[in-house]
Amino acid sequence: MGKLPMLKYHGQGEFLWKNKMVGMDRKGFSLIEVLIAFVILAVGLLGLAALHITAIRSNAGSNELTYATFLCQNEMERLKALPFSHTDLEEGSHNRTVNYKGIEYLVSWEVQDGVPDEDFKMVRVTVSWTGTNPADPERQGRSVNATAVFKRD
C-alpha cells in the first residue's frame, strides 16, 4: 500500500504538500480527468447537433420561400402576357393550387378594374403555403405577394 502525500516544511512558516506519492509516478491522466473531458466534449457535440438541426430547418424554409417567390413572379408574368380582356384578368378573385415537393402552394390573384382609370387594371398576386411542418407555429400562414398595374394596349 502506498503512502499518503507528505507535508514538507519549507521554512518561514510555509508548508507545502509533496506532489509525489511514494511508489506512484504521475504519468497520464486520472479517470476523473478523462470523465470530465468526455462530459465537456459531449456537451459541445450536443450543442453542435442542435445547431445543425436548426440550420437544416432554416434551409428548408429558405427553399420554400424561394419557390413561392418564383411562383409569384411566374404568375405575374403569365397574367401580364394575357390579352387585356382575358377571363383571368376579369375583376375579382381567382386562384389555383400548385403542389411542389409535397407542399401545397395556393396561388391567388385579385384584379381591380379602372385603377387609376378605365385603361388600367391593378393585379395583386399572393402565394401562400403552410411549410414542411404544419404543426410548427412559425410556419403557419406564410405568404409572398406582388402588385402590378397593367395598361390596355
Side-chain angles (χ1 to χ4, degrees):
M1 196 189 253
K3 294 183 179 180
L4 293 174
M6 299 174 61
L7 192 60
K8 193 173 184 183
Y9 181 69
H10 285 275
Q12 298 178 353
E14 292 183 9
F15 288 93
L16 295 175
W17 288 101
K18 190 174 179 184
N19 285 336
K20 196 169 186 181
M21 292 186 193
V22 177
M24 296 179 67
D25 288 340
R26 297 246 328 146
K27 292 182 181 175
F29 300 102
S30 72
L31 183 59
I32 296 294
E33 291 171 329
V34 171
L35 289 175
I36 290 172
F38 275 130
V39 167
I40 292 171
L41 179 65
V43 168
L45 290 176
L46 285 174
L48 284 176
L51 181 66
H52 188 67
I53 290 168
T54 302
I56 289 171
R57 284 184 183 156
S58 179
N59 194 18
S62 296
N63 286 337
E64 294 167 9
L65 180 61
T66 299
Y67 189 70
T69 304
F70 164 76
L71 281 176
C72 188
Q73 179 182 358
N74 194 45
E75 189 65 23
M76 188 64 80
E77 293 295 328
R78 184 187 76 81
L79 293 170
K80 195 178 200 181
L82 295 174
F84 199 74
S85 59
H86 193 276
T87 57
D88 279 350
L89 290 176
E90 289 177 355
E91 187 164 19
S93 296
H94 312 270
N95 63 53
R96 66 185 178 93
T97 59
V98 175
N99 216 334
Y100 180 72
K101 291 187 177 181
I103 301 170
E104 189 171 284
Y105 294 87
L106 175 64
V107 180
S108 58
W109 62 98
E110 185 176 331
V111 180
Q112 287 181 299
D113 284 338
V115 177
D117 64 37
E118 295 302 316
D119 287 337
F120 294 92
K121 292 184 182 199
M122 186 169 77
V123 179
R124 180 182 174 94
V125 175
T126 302
V127 177
S128 55
W129 73 103
T130 57
T132 53
N133 185 5
D136 187 356
E138 291 181 13
R139 302 255 187 239
Q140 294 295 322
R142 300 187 73 190
S143 65
V144 294
N145 58 59
T147 304
V149 177
F150 298 164
K151 184 177 188 238
R152 184 187 316 265
D153 292 331

